[in-house]
Amino acid sequence: MTPALRFLSTAITTASPDDASGSLFIAGVFLNGGKPRLTPSAAKFDEARGGTLTRMIECGAFDAKAGSTLFLGETEAFPNGFAVLGLGEEKDFSRKVFAECAAKAARAFAWAESQAYAVQEWLPPKTSGKSSARLFSTAVLNALTPRFTLKTEHDDGIRTKRIFWIDDLVTDKLVQGLDEGVVTAEAMSISRGLADLPGNVCTPAYLAEAVQNAAAGMTTVEVEVLDEHQIEELGMGAFLSVAKGSTVPPRFIAIRYRGTNAALPPVAFVGKGITFDTGGISLKPAANMADMTYDMSGAAVVIGTVMAAARAKLPVNLLGVVAACENLPSGSAAKPGDVVTSLSGKTIEILNTDCEGRMILADALTWTARQKPELIIDAATLTGACCVALGAPYSGLFTSDDALAHDLIKAGRDSLDDVWRLPIGAEYAKLMKTPAADIANQATVRDGGASSAAAFLSVFAEDVRWAHLDIAATANTSGRDRHSTGRPVPMLMRFLLKKMR
């Protein structure tokens, strides 16, 4: 496969009802105490068709539960068809239900070349039009992003090339909200597209080449890629200790995007890029090991966020850093008890080779801090402990910077991509003391494993404002039908967009 990033193939714009007459028109239906309440467009259609929709509801053909859909056929007024979307009980309608319903409708009607939504008739309560537009465009475009497959015969059924937000009064803020949703959805598309690739395809070299290919011709983007010899020359001993067990060479990738005054320091994102993780000598159990293709999800998030921001020409300076390698057992692999020297000069005793993410991030954080960014946010599928603590609803957030924590939590809430702040500090850092080196890569106890891992990372962020996102539970689903979620891209993009104001 030619290394490439997956960009959006569906566009979204505003339109008047007349402008979207050639599209499949989708109206909403609420429930009030189990009884249907038709929105104006649905009621108008129902009246014109002699109560067709009402009869369909009465006979049980359409229950109007949240996310349910029904195609009602083509008419002279709607030559490409009219459909309804169930919005569920109106008292329970929220921003989250709004986005979920929009996504389900977009996917259910993906066979239509264009879809038009009377969204202004079913906006979530206490939510601005701009915010609703952002959530809507992110949801529908993400729903229309195809899943990865290498099946010889496959049709994803996605035919939709354009989405219309129907509104009689289009404001600049509404358009801005849709555009913010588009850049978020494109970042998610890039991230999911990389994360869903199998490990034999998405190697460190593939990641590097995909970014270089996408950046070709973009005057605002500069990509620097270091090979294993350059990584060694720099003194990234922690990173190389993970990479040396594999015959697949590592890559260190730095993406610089300059969207505003070059004198302003960039916001830096750092991503864990373990393209496959066996655990090394500390071998993982075989069950669900195939999920470990997603151990580079942090890298995918960083690449998606920075490249989508660059393509959208956002007025911000960004630095995306990815340390990418495989973690495999072999005769050359690092062993428990080995001591290595990191880029920072600090020595690290390797007590568990399956604590590899913090090893590569140690050098990546040190390198990034030395570029003097405004702040650093790293994203990593780092610990099973965070999965146990929070599960899939929340990514773990660790920082000693209260203002940064506040902004990230707010961005997560606004984007429906929540994070939960967990503790970090000296009480956890002291658990990594060892007589053999400056620090060990594993705590003396299992308790508080997510916090002790974050405390390990904090040692290498130097004096730069820093936050760590543990996305082990949120980056992907598991099992036979595993797939990337694209999280925490929405939260990071919302954070960036808020900073630009």
Side-chain angles (χ1 to χ4, degrees), residues 140-216:
V140 297
L141 294 176
N142 189 44
L144 292 170
T145 299
R147 292 271 297 275
F148 166 80
T149 182
L150 284 178
K151 286 185 177 180
T152 53
E153 295 183 10
H154 175 69
D155 182 0
D156 56 34
I158 299 174
R159 304 287 183 270
T160 303
K161 296 301 179 184
R162 186 167 292 278
I163 299 284
F164 291 106
W165 171 296
I166 302 300
D167 207 319
D168 293 321
L169 180 61
V170 175
T171 65
D172 290 341
K173 286 189 174 182
L174 178 61
V175 173
Q176 185 181 5
L178 288 177
D179 289 344
E180 289 182 0
V182 170
V183 67
T184 302
E186 178 140 283
M188 294 180 75
S189 178
I190 295 169
S191 176
R192 292 175 58 203
L194 291 173
D196 281 333
L197 291 171
N200 63 320
V201 173
C202 189
T203 62
Y206 182 101
L207 285 175
E209 291 177 37
V211 172
Q212 289 172 317
N213 291 342

Side-chain angles (χ1 to χ4, degrees), residues 389-427:
L390 298 177
Y394 297 92
S395 297
L397 166 64
F398 302 83
T399 181
S400 57
D401 187 316
D402 290 341
L404 182 54
H406 173 273
D407 290 345
L408 290 171
I409 292 169
K410 179 68 163 57
R413 189 178 300 119
D414 289 349
S415 61
L416 303 178
D417 183 13
D418 286 315
V419 296
W420 193 272
R421 192 178 184 185
L422 291 170
I424 184 175
E427 290 301 310

